[in-house]
Amino acid sequence: MANNFTHIGLLQHGAVEAGDVFCGELDTPLTKASWKQLKQAFGRASPDWDAVVTSPRMQCAAFAEWFAQKQDLPLVRDERLREIHFGEWEGRNPQDVMTTHPEALAQWWLNPAQVSPPSGESFGDFRARVLDAWTEMGRAYRGERVLVVTHALVIRVIIAHVLQMSDERLLALNIEYGALTRLRVLRDRSGEWASLLVHGCG
């Protein structure tokens, strides 16, 4: 039975030099402090993982590459694990967006599935690609443990899917920089079953 399990760790990237801004398509490096934090947490020899999968964005991929090389693990970059594209909000902080798109931003905080940033990616398209990647990982890494380095909204969508949460509760899931969420996927004759093991550990 154990070989039917896939253990997946969802790691939110560290704090970025761009600061507290909407950062979907932006490539921005991690701050020195967040690099230090991640290296301290993951720098020692670890038997926990068999593979690393990452968003191609710099804030995820740079650490994923470092970790995979250090642990001698295979690394896969998956475009489907990119953050949602925030359109005209890209690179702007919420206070700035509030001055130009107050109603849209307020509606987005209440339920990001019901409104898209101007010129941004639709939530339906975003969720579809994220869950496509999630489903594939459960199959491709059967019996293995995979570390996934990605973004906050990606992690929220996966957790909400596993827990069958409503869209209105999506942003109630707190995702800290550098925090790890562990899930387990079981595949057997009756189907696929996923469970949340640990959320938001440092």
Side-chain angles (χ1 to χ4, degrees):
M1 178 67 74
N3 287 336
N4 292 332
F5 285 113
T6 303
H7 289 265
I8 299 175
L10 302 175
L11 177 65
Q12 154 76 327
H13 64 74
V16 297
E17 289 188 356
D20 183 23
V21 299
F22 287 103
C23 191
E25 289 297 295
L26 291 180
D27 269 323
T28 175
L30 300 177
T31 65
K32 290 181 179 179
S34 61
W35 258 109
K36 182 178 180 180
Q37 174 194 7
L38 288 171
K39 285 184 175 181
Q40 286 177 339
F42 291 88
R44 56 191 175 275
S46 173
D48 288 349
W49 311 108
D50 299 303
V52 181
V53 178
T54 183
S55 158
R57 292 289 166 258
M58 182 188 302
Q59 52 268 44
C60 298
F63 173 75
E65 290 169 4
W66 174 85
F67 182 75
Q69 184 176 20
K70 184 175 180 62
Q71 303 292 340
D72 193 25
L73 298 173
L75 173 69
V76 173
R77 294 170 185 79
D78 193 330
E79 287 283 343
R80 295 169 297 180
L81 296 172
R82 292 177 289 110
E83 183 61 285
I84 195 169
H85 189 337
F86 287 105
E88 294 180 15
W89 298 356
E90 286 283 345
R92 301 171 63 189
N93 63 49
Q95 293 77 17
D96 181 35
V97 174
M98 185 62 74
T99 64
T100 57
H101 301 95
E103 292 186 8
L105 181 59
Q107 291 173 11
W108 191 84
W109 287 128
L110 288 172
N111 187 346
Q114 293 299 313
V115 60
S116 298
S119 303
E121 182 178 12
S122 78
F123 187 84
D125 290 345
F126 167 69
R127 177 160 48 194
R129 64 172 167 85
V130 169
L131 294 183
D132 186 56
W134 164 255
T135 300
E136 186 176 305
M137 280 188 287
R139 297 169 180 168
Y141 295 97
R142 187 171 178 175
E144 295 186 284
R145 298 154 300 178
V146 56
L147 179 67
V148 180
V149 188
T150 186
H151 309 267
L153 200 56
V154 173
I155 296 172
R156 287 184 174 107
V157 162
I158 293 173
I159 294 174
H161 171 71
V162 170
L163 299 182
Q164 298 183 346
M165 292 174 59
S166 67
D167 293 334
E168 291 84 357
R169 302 301 300 157
L170 197 64
L171 295 183
L173 287 167
N174 186 48
I175 310 292
E176 298 283 351
Y177 285 129
L180 180 66
T181 295
R182 291 179 179 264
L183 303 104
R184 182 176 62 193
V185 181
L186 169 64
R187 294 184 60 81
D188 58 21
R189 292 179 180 178
S190 61
E192 178 177 293
W193 312 94
S195 56
L196 177 65
L197 303 180
V198 179
H199 173 56
C201 59

